[in-house]
Amino acid sequence: MTDAAPLKLFNSLTRQLEPFQPVHPGEARVYTCGPTVYNYPHIGNMRAYVFADVLGRTLSFKGYKLTHVINITDVGHLTDDADAGEDKMEKMAAQNAQSIWDIAKHYTEAYWADIKALNIRQPAHWSIATDYVPQMIEFAKSIADKHCYELESGLYFDTGSVEDYGRLARAQTDEGEGRIEAVEGKRHAADFAIWRKTPPGEKRQMEWDSPWGRGAPGWHLECSVMSGQLLGFPFDIHTGGIDHREIHHPNEIAQNQAFCCAGGLSDPANSGARVWMHNNFLVERSGKMSKSSGEFLRLQLLIDKGYHPLAYRMMCLQAHYRSELEFSWEGLAAALTRLKRMLMAHRKWADRLTEGRLPPGDSWERERVTNALVARFDAAISNDLNTADALTVLEETLALKGTAPECVVTAAVHMDRVLGLGLGKLDRAELRIRPKAATITEAEIEGALTARKEARAVKDFARSDALRDELAAQGVEVMDGDPLGWEWKLGS
């Protein structure tokens, strides 16, 4: 693949589209804010990791040696992102009467299962917050004298001690300060705890000794320490959901400036990362995108309703990562249909390649056509990860006529390495809608369909209709004349 198009990414800190210039030539170092493992992730959470995966795949596609880190927060994240409330992990452990370590293990494994289901590549490192507490204490000690002060409740970062505090948030909105915890003795409203002391008379499941008393690190401190430890300051790109842009990431940046003895943010590298990238929200009009509602949209719910998880990945790819994306079941079904079409077209080309069928024509000309399409795909994905346009180019590639199969398949492989739809591994039967609650087996469905075809062949339409009605009674929709040739699906 010829790298013709320069990679340009939108930097939330500068509010500009910028050419990617790696800190270390030939390398790309990326840190992604991972989940707090106190509950299952909802599908809006998972959009952030589809986006980060596409970013990583694009960097690999462009030839960079990628080091990607995703953290697991198992301590320190409070119930209000604005540094207030109870520790999310401690609260869930108390509610469930379970060990906090068991809670972390269960929800981490559930998150990893969703990562696998969405065909998200494994990062170079899964950094677990509790594995880095000694380093967090050392980090805090190194900045405490110049940038922190101690209160009865813990060690607080003085946001007035660094230049341009909050520029990342103010770059987008002037809202947010009203969400900051009011703590008596804080020098500035936006000051935040980097170490929280365990209150007298209490004992937490997760607590450690420190120069400021027994307690636990703050959420913001964790990401600064893990990103710096594993990637070094400055590294290339820090990603996360748009919800992190207002408080969590500005606080990370302030800590990074303090630790690196860096100046203001007119030089983005002083923030700890050269580029800060944020994906927008996934919205769902019924309000089931909030975990506080009790019932929220998990990837497993989509799977239980019979949808392949890659239909959700397709749904995410159809929108630009910086655009708000609305979830609906109709939209998910449309994304699944699009994935089916792509899979069928890809399978036809792969079959021709296996059979060795070559169309007449000039091989050089055929290669030129597919190379031009790969270049268009490269231009789309290099334009701030424009996956919507990139998908269209892949579809055009699969719709070519009179072209050598090896050219089309090779081009499609290049493109799918970035999009991650797994076209070379998927089986069409996997994309059938089959809800978990369905009782009829696929063997029974196929048997009834075979009998129905035989009845139609001898013009026994009464028998054919009766079989169709029997299937319908069990939730099976017979798709006569389906242009995709899928033949049936199960209703939810």
Side-chain angles (χ1 to χ4, degrees), residues 51-107:
F51 148 62
D53 184 54
V54 171
L55 171 64
R57 287 170 176 270
T58 297
L59 291 164
S60 296
F61 175 75
K62 303 293 284 183
Y64 294 102
K65 177 186 175 185
L66 175 67
T67 303
H68 190 183
V69 175
I70 305 178
N71 75 288
I72 300 292
T73 295
D74 56 355
V75 65
H77 189 177
L78 304 188
T79 49
D80 185 329
D81 290 354
D83 215 26
E86 302 173 74
D87 182 292
K88 289 184 175 184
M89 299 294 299
E90 295 275 355
K91 181 179 179 181
M92 183 59 77
Q95 282 180 358
N96 292 6
Q98 283 183 285
S99 156
I100 199 169
W101 306 98
D102 290 340
I103 290 284
K105 182 175 185 293
H106 175 78
Y107 290 116

Side-chain angles (χ1 to χ4, degrees), residues 302-356:
L302 276 55
I303 295 169
D304 289 348
K305 285 185 174 289
Y307 289 92
H308 195 286
L310 289 179
Y312 177 65
R313 185 180 179 103
M314 171 68 85
M315 192 177 195
C316 292
L317 296 177
Q318 290 177 155
H320 192 273
Y321 75 90
R322 285 193 287 120
S323 299
E324 198 173 75
L325 173 62
E326 182 171 358
F327 176 83
S328 69
W329 292 104
E330 295 78 12
L332 183 64
L336 177 62
T337 297
R338 190 176 188 186
L339 180 58
K340 287 177 177 179
R341 291 184 185 278
M342 283 190 180
L343 178 60
M344 289 185 66
H346 184 273
R347 182 57 53 84
K348 287 179 181 177
W349 284 110
D351 289 346
R352 290 176 191 169
L353 181 60
T354 302
E355 294 164 5

Side-chain angles (χ1 to χ4, degrees), residues 360-374:
D362 188 283
S363 60
W364 179 84
E365 176 64 18
R366 292 193 294 261
E367 190 172 337
R368 186 189 66 80
V369 170
T370 48
N371 281 348
L373 285 165
V374 172

Side-chain angles (χ1 to χ4, degrees), residues 11 13-14 18 264-276:
N11 189 346
L13 186 59
T14 63
E18 300 173 356
L265 299 179
S266 55
D267 180 356
N270 288 342
S271 70
R274 278 192 175 174
V275 179
W276 292 76

